[in-house]
Amino acid sequence: MSALDEVLARARALVDRWEDEDCGTLTVKDFCRYAAALNDTDYIREAREQEAKGAPVEAPALFLASTMSWEDGPVEQELRPDGLAARESPCTQGLPVRQVHGGQSVRLTRAPLAGTRVTASRTVTSVEYKKGRSGDFVLLGVTTRYTAPDGGELTAVDETIVVLDALAPGTDT
């Protein structure tokens, strides 16, 4: 069985099987760190002013959708050759494949507030084996829903992941 056939089999077994991850309680500090990475000093100033007044502080619009993991993350030596953490590579663990992202759609339902405990629920929604000019590949559809304790959706991300055979040794593309 080829690596792509194995990805296909693994993905088909996961379609519509949701896995939940507790993201913890969001903080103004988390929001400001994200804003600092974007050089959004206006957001940081406004968020800290709201916090000082005891007013609710909303997360930046794409905060949840932009967070790949709620863990500290792997050390560099544990990253896959394509730069992704094994955890962020559905259906590909241990296989000689690489991935590229084929697009993303984000639904911003309601802004999370600092102090909100968030759950991320993720599933494989679709899987297709394709043949292209440059070779075979698998398209994975993945959805992640971020919800508040009341079950209400905050943000949802639908993405397409393209899984390709790993590059042959000695190639650089």
Side-chain angles (χ1 to χ4, degrees):
M1 179 182 290
S2 77
L4 290 181
D5 289 331
E6 180 65 22
V7 170
L8 191 66
R10 290 179 185 184
R12 285 182 174 152
L14 295 176
V15 170
D16 294 331
R17 287 184 42 196
W18 291 88
E19 291 185 22
D20 293 346
E21 178 181 5
D22 178 10
C23 301
T25 302
L26 305 180
T27 67
V28 174
K29 184 177 185 177
D30 296 329
F31 300 165
C32 289
R33 284 182 171 170
Y34 172 79
L38 299 175
N39 201 29
D40 188 348
T41 56
D42 290 339
Y43 174 87
I44 296 168
R45 181 183 41 74
E46 292 167 13
R48 292 301 185 186
E49 286 173 3
Q50 291 296 103
E51 180 182 42
K53 290 191 253 180
V57 179
E58 289 186 0
L62 295 176
F63 174 78
L64 291 175
S66 298
T67 304
M68 290 190 71
S69 177
W70 299 97
E71 298 173 355
D72 290 341
V75 294
E76 187 174 350
Q77 298 89 316
E78 293 176 10
L79 292 175
R80 294 172 37 89
D82 56 16
L84 294 174
R87 184 179 182 294
E88 300 303 325
S89 304
C91 313
T92 65
Q93 295 83 349
L95 297 174
V97 296
R98 59 192 168 99
Q99 297 179 87
V100 293
H101 283 265
Q104 185 179 69
S105 171
V106 178
R107 269 189 322 276
L108 303 173
T109 307
R110 74 177 196 215
L113 300 175
T116 301
R117 186 166 204 94
V118 173
T119 299
S121 302
R122 186 179 193 194
T123 190
V124 174
T125 56
S126 64
V127 57
E128 269 187 277
Y129 196 99
K130 297 281 207 173
K131 294 182 180 286
R133 287 187 316 225
S134 59
D136 297 354
F137 57 97
V138 174
L139 289 179
L140 299 176
V142 177
T143 294
T144 306
R145 291 183 66 235
Y146 297 91
T147 57
D150 65 6
E153 183 178 283
L154 302 167
T155 300
V157 180
D158 298 310
E159 59 188 317
T160 301
I161 300 170
V162 182
V163 183
L164 307 148
D165 276 318
L167 292 175
T171 62
D172 60 359
T173 58

